[in-house]
Amino acid sequence: MINVLIADDEILFRNYMLTAVDWNELGFSICCVAQNGEEALNSLTSFRVDIAFLDINMPYADGISVASRIRSESPDTLIVFITGYSDFTYTQKAIQLKIEDYLLKPFSPEDLTKLLKQLKQKTALLRSRQKAERQANQLMMEQYFNSLLGFCEQSPGITSPSLFPDSPWNISEYFMAAVVEIGYLGVIESSHENLPLWKFSIQNCLEETLSVPGKLFIFNIPCDRIVVLFNFKDYASAATYPYSRLQKAADLIRSWFSVTLSIGIGELEKGIDSIPVSFKKALLALQARSTKEEGNLFYHKDTDLQFSKGFYNLELHNQVMFALRQNNLSELSEILEGLEKEIQTKHYDSDTVQTIFTSIFSLCLAFVMEKDGNVMDILDQDFVRYQSCFAGSDIRESCRFLYSLFEKVLARYSSIKSTRSLDVIRKVQEYVAGHYMEDTLSVEDIAAYVILDSSYIRKLFNKYMKCTITDFILTTRMEHARQLLEDGETNITYIASLTGYKDSGYFSKCFKKYYGVSPKAYSHLRSCP
């Protein structure tokens, strides 16, 4: 319905306006009737007014004053002046205020009906434009945050957060990230077409449930995950915030949609550049969760598994998704072989092993959904096999099950990509693997190697690999640095030089931003029994 305000100091005319037409039938709702300008102004604080019919000559505040206030506080409200003066004394001022139309007293019901139909069309167009603007703003914000987290290149038009409509977009330097992961096994029995509706409903539920002293940003990231970014107004607000509200939201969503959520909660960080750190910690909290834990919330601060011998690195997720998107079954086989060997040599406990395999399984299902597939076609309702396979202690059998799953997924949902595109991506990866230790490595160097324009390579890599080349270089360097630390190397300057960093201090800063701890702290944690 379209909300209407009527303001006129003549009671007979107010009654005429109320009865001249069937407002509801025409799609309008009269939200307020005012007998003077002061009442009209007060109503603006209580109602959202779409159209205002204002008598020009009213006591306390005339129509011009009310119109000026409406225009300053609600620029999109349509305003119609009601006047008994045929000379239109206020025409110039009305033009300045962008008044929609005049009604010259007396007027017939037919005249009012005709005007209302015109206003209804304008309101529909206005709402359509507002919806498009909201969607564009949401998309722009989502692109910015995804680029901040390294999932895509930052678009030229959003190089600075200050370009957003609400400038500045953040109200403080205190941020906390939470990552929401959909329990795919809980949605297997439903059609995949429901996934977008679930995600939309989940986001709405989170927005309505999570009132926060500050700002809240909720956006999608790859693998059908949702990020909830808290921007607290100050440190005290962050320290006392009841994160149990996330559990309440998860319980509501489960009761409404039979969808189970797992929510990893990072730690409070300071500064926009530290948002990825909190995000990484939220991911680590998810990945380190015990399969025996109850509830939906997993806090990074409550676990010390993130860098222990019983926890696998974040790059495993990237490797699996990269191989799936490249349709590279042999690479997936090598990943599983390496994983089996690592689990056996490092003696991971059963809970950690089950968590690793379950996470990889979820990635495979996420890939199926990314390709608009249906997980029912993949699992053939064989849930018992899945549960018994990962719940057991037979590591080799689990790897075989995952390989057969990969094989079936790629056979059914493999993308039809040009051989040329795949060749370019492989050459980029090979070049990075052979030159990551060079501190001068750049996208331009890679472009020269593959004899293609750098902007084209960026777009190609982002399209198929779902990350930027710069972030792929960083991931490669960080993975090799981590491996050196795990192999017992403790000289930070030496490690920096082997991974493309001249400045060991800058290397340590990058390492801490990527993993959440310094190289020295990581080395100490890995050496702990």
Side-chain angles (χ1 to χ4, degrees), residues 19 50-51 55 144 153 155 261 306 319 331 404 420 445:
T19 59
D50 298 308
I51 301 174
D55 183 21
Y144 169 71
E153 293 278 6
S155 301
L261 303 182
Q306 64 269 37
Q319 292 169 6
E331 176 67 20
S404 66
R420 175 59 176 163
D445 295 334

Side-chain angles (χ1 to χ4, degrees), residues 375-392:
V375 294
M376 288 288 289
D377 296 335
I378 297 299
L379 296 181
D380 299 324
Q381 300 183 5
D382 192 4
F383 309 127
V384 176
R385 183 186 179 195
Y386 158 72
Q387 293 173 338
S388 62
C389 184
F390 294 144

Side-chain angles (χ1 to χ4, degrees), residues 246-361:
L246 281 165
Q247 183 64 57
K248 179 181 178 181
D251 292 340
L252 285 173
I253 290 166
R254 183 171 186 175
S255 65
W256 290 342
F257 305 104
S258 299
V259 173
T260 301
L261 303 182
S262 296
I263 305 175
I265 301 175
E267 295 190 42
L268 186 67
E269 303 291 343
K270 189 173 182 180
I272 293 174
D273 291 341
S274 69
I275 292 175
V277 175
S278 186
F279 167 72
K280 291 275 189 181
K281 290 179 178 180
L283 275 183
L284 287 169
L286 272 180
Q287 296 177 6
R289 65 185 183 270
S290 169
T291 55
K292 295 180 181 179
E293 284 185 82
E294 297 183 358
N296 303 80
L297 307 188
F298 306 93
Y299 296 86
H300 179 267
K301 64 181 178 64
D302 291 342
T303 179
D304 57 359
L305 292 176
Q306 64 269 37
F307 296 115
S308 71
K309 290 182 179 179
F311 185 75
Y312 67 103
N313 61 75
L314 286 171
E315 284 66 38
L316 180 62
H317 273 196
N318 291 336
Q319 292 169 6
V320 171
M321 289 305 291
F322 286 174
L324 284 169
R325 287 169 180 149
Q326 287 182 294
N327 308 327
N328 195 334
L329 188 60
S330 61
E331 176 67 20
L332 290 166
S333 177
E334 290 179 9
I335 291 172
L336 291 175
E337 289 177 5
L339 181 60
E340 180 182 348
K341 182 179 179 180
E342 181 177 347
I343 291 172
Q344 292 174 339
T345 56
K346 294 187 177 181
H347 307 291
Y348 287 173
D349 59 79
S350 59
D351 282 345
T352 300
V353 172
Q354 187 173 349
T355 299
I356 293 173
F357 286 136
T358 302
S359 297
I360 296 176
F361 177 82

Side-chain angles (χ1 to χ4, degrees), residues 214-233:
K215 285 189 175 183
L216 189 70
F217 302 95
I218 301 177
F219 55 94
N220 294 303
I221 60 173
C223 297
D224 288 320
R225 285 171 171 159
I226 298 170
V227 173
V228 180
L229 180 63
F230 298 88
N231 181 205
F232 296 101
K233 65 179 182 179

Side-chain angles (χ1 to χ4, degrees), residues 113-127:
T113 299
K114 181 179 179 181
L115 176 59
L116 287 175
K117 289 181 178 179
Q118 294 173 352
L119 296 175
K120 186 176 182 179
Q121 290 181 343
K122 291 181 179 180
T123 302
L125 290 173
L126 183 62
R127 287 181 174 178

Side-chain angles (χ1 to χ4, degrees), residues 63-165:
I64 297 293
S65 300
V66 177
S68 298
R69 171 84 170 272
I70 291 174
R71 190 55 69 228
S72 63
E73 296 183 2
S74 180
D76 292 329
T77 297
L78 304 181
I79 301 173
V80 178
F81 274 158
I82 304 171
T83 180
Y85 297 94
S86 58
D87 59 356
F88 300 118
T89 307
Y90 299 101
T91 297
Q92 185 176 1
K93 186 64 177 176
I95 292 174
Q96 294 175 354
L97 291 171
K98 298 181 180 179
I99 301 305
E100 203 62 37
D101 212 330
Y102 280 93
L103 272 178
L104 182 61
K105 297 178 182 179
F107 53 84
S108 66
E110 290 75 19
D111 291 334
L112 179 57
T113 299
K114 181 179 179 181
L115 176 59
L116 287 175
K117 289 181 178 179
Q118 294 173 352
L119 296 175
K120 186 176 182 179
Q121 290 181 343
K122 291 181 179 180
T123 302
L125 290 173
L126 183 62
R127 287 181 174 178
S128 177
R129 188 197 75 195
Q130 291 170 339
K131 181 180 179 181
E133 288 177 351
R134 287 194 301 270
Q135 291 175 339
N137 291 338
Q138 175 65 26
L139 178 61
M140 184 165 60
M141 183 65 79
E142 196 160 293
Q143 286 178 336
Y144 169 71
F145 283 126
N146 270 266
S147 67
L148 187 66
L149 298 179
F151 291 112
C152 65
E153 293 278 6
Q154 188 160 297
S155 301
I158 54 171
T159 52
S160 169
S162 63
L163 294 179
F164 291 121

Side-chain angles (χ1 to χ4, degrees), residues 4 33 36 82 94 127 134 141 160 172 175 177 205 229 343 357 364 375 400 410 467 493 495 500 529:
V4 175
V33 179
N36 56 57
I82 304 171
R127 287 181 174 178
R134 287 194 301 270
M141 183 65 79
S160 169
S172 76
F175 297 94
C205 185
L229 180 63
I343 291 172
F357 286 136
C364 192
V375 294
R400 287 174 179 172
L410 292 184
C467 73
T493 301
I495 294 175

Side-chain angles (χ1 to χ4, degrees), residues 169-229:
W169 64 271
N170 59 309
I171 63 170
S172 76
E173 293 297 300
Y174 295 101
F175 297 94
M176 172 86 82
V179 178
V180 180
E181 187 173 83
I182 300 174
Y184 289 106
L185 290 179
V187 304
I188 281 175
E189 295 181 353
S190 294
S191 171
H192 172 246
E193 284 77 16
N194 289 333
L195 182 61
L197 175 61
W198 281 326
K199 292 177 67 177
F200 177 77
S201 301
I202 289 170
Q203 287 182 271
N204 281 345
C205 185
L206 291 170
E207 288 173 355
E208 293 176 6
T209 308
L210 301 177
S211 57
V212 58
K215 285 189 175 183
L216 189 70
F217 302 95
I218 301 177
F219 55 94
N220 294 303
I221 60 173
C223 297
D224 288 320
R225 285 171 171 159
I226 298 170
V227 173
V228 180
L229 180 63

